[in-house]
Amino acid sequence: MLTKRIIPCLDIKDGRTVKGINFLDLRDAGDPVELAEAYANEGADELVFLDISATEERRKTLANLVKRVAEKVNIPFTVGGGISSVEDVDILLHNGADKVSINSSAVKNPDLINELVAKFGSQCIVVAIDAKRIDGMWKVHLVGGKVPTDLELFQWAKEVEERGAGEILFTSMDHDGTKNGFANETLARLSTELNIPIIASGGAGNMEHFIDTFNEGKADAALAASVFHFKEMEIRDLKKKLQDHGIPVRL
Amino acid sequence: MKLVIVNYGAGNIQSIKFAFKRLGYDAVLSDKAGEIQNADRVIFPGVGEASSAMNKLMASGLDQIIPNLKQPVLGICLGMQLMCHSTEEGNTLGMGIFNTDVIKFSKKVKVPQIGWNQITNLKSNLFKDVKENDHIYLVHSYYAPICSETIAISNYEMPYSSALQKNNFYGVQFHPEKSSKVGARILRNFLEL
């Protein structure tokens, strides 16, 4: 049976992890490679690296990091952040990334999705969507949720699927950082109306939230950062709990 | 041992190279017929769209070389599919090593299948020390139905071939290079066949 995936997300700046990280057993908690290995050993199903660097060197630094991760880590990983061209994607995949995630660049130039899918295949193109509810309507936002657009979430998500994306990573800006649970009603609607996998993001605070997003939110995967980084829960314990609740996981 | 990964411009071959490196083996990337024919083991990868991958293979002439190899050959993902008789993706004729056609999952399930599924009915030394129901990582929209060459089964929409074997030819639909310890064991087994 296909299992539900648990995906830790690592924020990267200039080749280092940025959020405060509470892994006491690591020699260098800022080293994304060491952290990635630790998560893989704990039972993470995939990893997402979100690059937030803004230097001119960023492309080269990120490519280097991707190669180091690919050398060491034996589970799939996705790289996102600032990817805006076929060439960007080519470099990352060539260095060993399994998937790339695009966000603002897809909104600004939707044809980019088609170009990437034609060149690299649906399986490695994830479209990340950040959205926020404004006057009862879910509006897509850019630049890490700072800039609103006119795009309506469900319409945009369907267009993304039609253009060939393999997966959608949906972050609710209303839930992100609250630790009050995922946007399950919206996730369930995405999951029902679309026929590609949906990754839930934003709002994870405890294990019940994960149970709910798989059961009520019908998510195919759940992504979180701080609950894992600060060791508020161990991935293995979380997966055992999910299994106890009848949710298929890889243990 | 000389290990060659067929490099025909289709797929994430770095990951496969790194996976063997973690096992202590240096794999060579090659598109040269002689080098591939002289290898002890051949890996035939593939990611992307079937017809364009098959066109690349035909342009290099490797579609005539691979079916005649005598050493153990392991096709991975799209590589496995191109070793089959045909695939619905782009109405592509494959190399016909495995006597089955590859077809698309229906809309009853999410397509592509992405994630960790289980393998069962394990029938080959390729799965030595791998347990029934162990998990492997897959990403695919097309599948090979169960046939006489099936050596492992996964279930998505219906049971299908997660691995195929005919003589010295092996094919896996999943990505052993991304399937954690289970995948590493399968790659090691392939080297020890």
Side-chain angles (χ1 to χ4, degrees):
Chain A
M1 186 187 277
L2 182 65
T3 59
K4 301 290 188 181
R5 289 170 279 155
I6 299 296
I7 308 176
C9 177
L10 287 75
D11 285 350
I12 304 295
K13 192 173 183 188
D14 306 328
R16 309 271 298 165
T17 48
V18 282
K19 278 191 186 163
I21 296 209
N22 198 12
F23 271 75
L24 296 176
D25 46 346
L26 294 186
R27 276 178 287 120
D28 178 1
D31 179 14
V33 180
E34 207 176 341
L35 192 57
E37 275 186 286
Y39 278 133
N41 290 335
E42 269 190 20
D45 294 306
E46 282 185 40
L47 299 166
V48 168
F49 295 88
L50 189 60
D51 185 51
I52 55 170
S53 351
T55 59
E56 293 197 4
E57 292 288 295
R58 64 175 300 275
R59 193 189 255 190
K60 202 172 153 193
T61 310
L62 186 60
N64 254 324
L65 172 65
V66 165
K67 191 169 179 189
R68 286 175 55 227
V69 172
E71 278 170 351
K72 293 277 183 188
V73 174
N74 58 10
I75 60 171
F77 67 97
T78 302
V79 180
I83 297 168
S84 59
S85 69
V86 170
E87 196 196 352
D88 286 341
V89 173
D90 201 22
I91 291 169
L92 295 171
L93 295 181
H94 187 77
N95 278 284
D98 298 285
K99 305 185 235 185
V100 294
S101 141
I102 54 172
N103 189 336
S104 301
S105 58
V107 172
K108 287 176 194 152
N109 173 22
D111 286 340
L112 179 64
I113 303 171
N114 305 60
E115 284 170 43
L116 294 176
V117 166
K119 183 148 167 80
F120 306 107
S122 289
Q123 80 290 333
C124 60
I125 307 303
V126 181
V127 174
I129 305 178
D130 298 340
K132 189 176 191 165
R133 194 155 21 196
I134 297 172
D135 298 332
M137 198 194 272
W138 283 94
K139 290 283 190 185
V140 176
H141 282 58
L142 300 183
V143 201
K146 290 190 204 93
V147 179
T149 71
D150 286 334
L151 285 174
E152 192 271 332
L153 168 66
F154 296 99
Q155 270 175 356
W156 173 235
K158 275 175 211 164
E159 182 176 342
V160 161
E161 177 181 28
E162 278 159 20
R163 287 177 179 273
E167 266 178 307
I168 286 177
L169 166 58
F170 170 64
T171 304
S172 161
M173 308 305 305
D174 294 338
H175 296 72
D176 200 28
T178 65
K179 300 206 168 203
N180 283 333
F182 295 89
N184 293 324
E185 205 179 309
T186 309
L187 281 159
R189 192 173 151 199
L190 282 172
S191 200
T192 309
E193 292 186 11
L194 272 62
N195 203 45
I196 55 176
I198 308 291
I199 305 166
S201 160
N206 60 41
M207 292 193 189
E208 274 69 30
H209 294 153
F210 287 89
I211 296 169
D212 292 346
T213 205
F214 291 128
N215 283 340
E216 292 161 29
K218 301 187 186 346
D220 298 285
L223 177 142
S226 60
V227 288
F228 300 135
H229 298 330
F230 295 108
K231 287 272 184 191
E232 288 164 29
M233 63 179 83
E234 297 273 346
I235 292 174
R236 208 168 297 283
D237 296 340
L238 168 62
K239 290 175 93 174
K240 278 182 191 148
K241 178 116 176 174
L242 293 171
Q243 190 176 50
D244 290 344
H245 283 74
I247 295 165
V249 290
R250 174 181 69 107
L251 271 173
Chain B
M1 172 174 302
K2 184 150 191 231
L3 176 60
V4 167
I5 302 173
V6 181
N7 182 13
Y8 61 111
N12 188 348
I13 44 186
Q14 284 292 358
S15 296
I16 299 173
K17 191 175 160 67
F18 291 147
F20 281 111
K21 187 115 196 197
R22 290 194 290 270
L23 295 175
Y25 292 85
D26 261 322
V28 177
L29 310 180
S30 178
D31 59 353
K32 297 191 177 61
E35 195 164 29
I36 293 167
Q37 285 164 328
N38 288 327
D40 299 303
R41 295 287 184 280
V42 175
I43 306 288
F44 179 54
V47 168
E49 199 273 331
S51 63
S52 58
M54 194 65 202
N55 283 339
K56 284 179 194 159
L57 202 60
M58 285 159 73
S60 63
L62 292 175
D63 62 313
Q64 300 299 317
I65 302 295
I66 291 167
N68 293 308
L69 292 173
K70 303 293 176 232
Q71 65 277 58
V73 177
L74 179 66
I76 297 177
C77 196
L78 181 63
M80 182 209 86
Q81 297 186 353
L82 295 183
M83 288 162 78
C84 295
H85 174 255
S86 76
T87 166
E88 263 184 3
E89 188 176 24
N91 286 319
T92 308
L93 263 188
M95 289 187 282
I97 296 166
F98 301 125
N99 187 25
T100 183
D101 298 312
V102 173
I103 52 183
K104 193 169 188 180
F105 287 119
S106 85
K107 299 226 159 147
K108 288 181 201 154
V109 288
K110 290 196 176 185
V111 183
Q113 170 177 221
I114 298 184
W116 298 79
N117 203 325
Q118 292 162 295
I119 40 176
T120 63
N121 299 72
L122 306 176
K123 268 192 205 157
S124 157
N125 280 339
L126 190 63
F127 301 112
K128 187 173 167 243
D129 294 331
V130 174
K131 295 193 290 292
E132 290 283 320
N133 294 311
D134 268 351
H135 289 91
I136 40 75
Y137 182 79
L138 302 139
V139 185
H140 63 128
S141 302
Y142 296 80
Y143 69 95
I146 290 172
C147 63
S148 61
E149 291 155 355
T150 302
I151 54 168
I153 292 175
S154 294
N155 198 329
Y156 192 63
E157 189 179 359
M158 83 287 297
Y160 68 91
S161 297
S162 213
L164 297 163
Q165 184 202 344
K166 185 179 180 186
N167 305 322
N168 56 316
F169 293 97
Y170 297 77
V172 290
Q173 180 60 66
F174 52 87
H175 286 278
E177 76 278 15
K178 286 288 161 178
S179 294
S180 195
K181 287 177 189 148
V182 172
R185 179 71 227 191
I186 292 167
L187 292 180
R188 183 176 291 285
N189 288 340
F190 175 69
L191 298 178
E192 291 172 358
L193 283 172

